[in-house]
């Protein structure tokens, strides 16, 4: 074959070589388009709804399901998600759920739910005992994975959730010794980078603990992980503009919880029974450490320090007697320049330790007191303790010999006696008044 003929053949074949990469591009594009169309079809199927319900169920440790999905472009809407569980979260009911899904995200081996909005979310936080017969969330069934098609291998088994905005959260916690209900909390959850957890930020709404008056939720900042719930900063307005600030955490596996709280500007009248509200005035400031567990019931221990600011103590029989015998009217309306005590609340008992009261130039009181059933106003609350009472020497000038009979100890510029306290908080008794009249 001549050289010219071979050259012509080579020239003709080279004309079509450019079609090879073009055909490859067409095949890839066609496959990608087909795969995208299939992905959109799968996302609109009941199989995807079941798949997503199982992933959400695992996240919340419940068994739940979505109502049917309604699609508008990349936005999907469901009337509700309802679930029941055996851990701390016993029931969840989310209403008005809308999400935006990236159709092309399956190429990145995860279904990306870019944003979720929820109109209303109700949570029932029980004792962790759960409901008998509630099945545990298990592996996704075959029908949720695919319809056995060629494209089934492309179905991601992971869901990446973006920001979740909840317009209104209602929640309740039931325990043997404490019940808590909250409503109207607006909450935003943001996934934490590099960690399988969520950052929570919100505020608004009210919270009711036991029989106490409702408190307003000013702010909530927290972190939620599979193993714990950590409150970094929560602020509340309680009882006529008083403030409560708290931090702490709850460990889900052990049921252990620990919180530190600060209370300020709490009027004493809000923590006293009616018969004491005219006897003790001022505002309460407290540092509180709370520890306990919620498994099988809610058992809590509180301890810390409480301080009464701008305190006034009056209308007590012992003070009235001191005013009469010493001819010192300041005892009838005793201004407390300092009033502070350590405290512990455990087993339905309040213990005041290292109690210290001071009225400048007149009186000091130190000691310990115990009050039974401190927060149960329906029954008498037993009172017991021993106090050291010190008065300045000048007020005893009208009581000759009393320093030898009663106020027998001399220290720190005061003369002291021991006073034993009994009776109940409603009708306190002490042994100093009878001795003053002897």
């Amino acid at each position: 074959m001549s050289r010219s003929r071979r050259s012509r053949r080579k020239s003709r074949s080279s004309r079509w070589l450019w079609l090879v990469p073009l055909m490859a591009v067409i095949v890839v594009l066609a496959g990608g388009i087909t795969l995208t169309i299939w992905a959109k079809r799968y996302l609109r199927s009941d199989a995807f709804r079941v798949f997503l319900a199982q992933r959400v169920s695992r996240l919340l440790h419940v068994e739940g399901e979505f109502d049917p999905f309604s699609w508008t472009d990349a936005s999907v809407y469901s009337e509700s998600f309802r679930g029941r569980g055996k851990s701390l979260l016993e029931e969840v009911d989310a209403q008005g759920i809308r999400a935006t899904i990236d159709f092309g995200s399956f190429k990145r081996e995860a279904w990306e739910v870019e944003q979720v909005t929820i109109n209303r979310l109700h949570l029932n936080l029980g004792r962790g005992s759960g409901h008998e017969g509630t099945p545990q969330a298990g592996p996704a069934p075959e029908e949720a994975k695919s319809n056995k098609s060629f494209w089934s291998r492309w179905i991601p088994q992971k869901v990446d959730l973006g920001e979740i905005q909840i317009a209104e959260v209602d929640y309740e916690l039931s325990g043997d010794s404490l019940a808590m209900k909250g409503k109207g909390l607006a909450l935003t959850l943001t996934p934490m980078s590099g960690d399988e957890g969520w950052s929570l930020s919100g505020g608004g709404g009210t919270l009711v603990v036991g029989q106490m008056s409702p408190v307003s939720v000013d702010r909530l900042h927290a972190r939620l992980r599979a193993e714990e719930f950590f409150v970094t900063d929560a602020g509340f307005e309680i009882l006529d503009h008083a403030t409560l600030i708290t931090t702490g955490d709850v460990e889900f596996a052990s049921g252990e919880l620990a919180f530190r709280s600060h209370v300020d500007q709490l009027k004493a009248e809000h923590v006293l029974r009616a018969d004491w509200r005219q006897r003790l005035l001022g505002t309460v400031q407290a540092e509180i450490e709370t520890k306990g567990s919620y498994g099988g019931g809610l058992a809590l221990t509180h301890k810390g320090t409480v301080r009464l600011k701008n305190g006034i103590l009056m209308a007590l029989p012992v003070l009235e007697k001191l005013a009469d015998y010493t001819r010192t009217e300041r005892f009838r309306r005793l201004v407390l320049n300092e009033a502070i005590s350590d405290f512990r609340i455990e087993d339905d008992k309040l213990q005041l330790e290292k109690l210290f009261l001071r009225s400048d130039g007149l009186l000091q009181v130190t000691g310990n007191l115990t009050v039974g059933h401190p927060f149960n106003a329906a029954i008498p609350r037993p009172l017991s303790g021993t106090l050291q009472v010190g008065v300045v020497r000048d007020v005893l000038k009208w009581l000759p010999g009393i320093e030898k009979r009663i106020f027998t100890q001399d220290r720190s510029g005061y003369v002291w006696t021991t006073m034993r306290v009994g009776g109940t908080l409603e009708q306190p008794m002490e042994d100093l008044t009878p001795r003053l009249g002897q």
Side-chain angles (χ1 to χ4, degrees), residues 120-321:
R120 182 178 177 273
L121 176 65
H122 178 81
L123 304 174
N124 183 4
L125 308 172
R127 307 175 190 176
S129 56
H131 302 277
E132 294 299 326
T134 303
Q136 293 292 330
E142 285 297 318
E143 62 269 23
K145 292 183 180 179
S146 74
N147 58 0
K148 304 291 186 180
S149 70
F150 167 78
W151 305 109
S152 61
R153 71 188 68 181
W154 298 99
I155 296 180
Q157 296 301 303
K158 181 181 178 183
V159 177
D160 287 340
L161 290 173
E163 183 179 86
I164 301 175
Q165 296 180 353
I166 308 172
E168 182 178 345
V169 181
D170 298 342
Y171 49 96
E172 55 183 298
L173 170 66
S174 301
D176 290 335
S177 58
L178 183 66
M180 179 178 71
K181 288 186 177 182
K183 64 179 182 178
L185 174 68
L187 193 62
T188 298
L189 292 82
T190 306
M192 292 190 294
S193 59
D195 192 356
E196 292 187 357
W198 296 84
S199 173
L200 281 67
S201 178
T206 58
L207 173 66
V208 178
V209 178
Q211 301 299 316
M212 297 177 62
S213 300
V215 303
S216 299
V217 181
D218 177 55
R219 64 186 183 277
L220 171 65
H221 300 286
R223 298 195 301 269
L224 176 64
R225 296 189 177 94
E227 67 277 4
E228 71 169 350
F229 178 65
F230 187 85
V231 178
T232 56
D233 176 38
F236 306 88
E237 182 180 303
I238 62 175
L239 299 170
D240 195 15
H241 306 298
T243 60
L244 167 65
I245 300 172
T246 188
T247 64
D249 67 284
V250 179
E251 295 182 2
F252 297 136
S254 64
E256 299 295 317
L257 58 85
F259 286 88
R260 289 184 176 273
S261 305
H262 173 77
V263 176
D264 201 4
Q265 299 300 317
L266 176 59
K267 294 180 181 179
E269 63 190 68
H270 292 303
V271 295
L272 300 172
R273 279 180 52 131
D275 51 356
W276 268 89
R277 289 173 188 165
Q278 300 304 316
R279 297 180 181 181
L280 184 61
L281 306 178
T283 57
V284 175
Q285 185 183 78
E287 301 292 336
I288 308 168
E289 181 180 338
T290 300
K291 291 186 177 181
S293 63
Y294 62 82
L298 194 62
L300 300 177
T301 298
H302 311 274
K303 67 177 183 178
T305 302
V306 60
R307 183 187 303 271
L308 183 68
K309 300 168 65 176
N310 303 315
I312 297 176
L313 188 60
M314 54 190 175
L316 285 180
V318 64
L319 294 179
E320 294 292 331
K321 288 295 183 182

Side-chain angles (χ1 to χ4, degrees), residues 14 19 38 181 224 365:
S14 63
L19 290 175
W38 169 87
K181 288 186 177 182
L224 176 64
V365 177

Side-chain angles (χ1 to χ4, degrees), residues 383-398:
L383 178 66
S384 63
T386 301
L387 302 176
Q388 297 294 315
V389 179
V391 297
V392 295
R393 190 182 300 275
D394 287 348
V395 305
L396 301 179
K397 61 185 177 181
W398 301 105

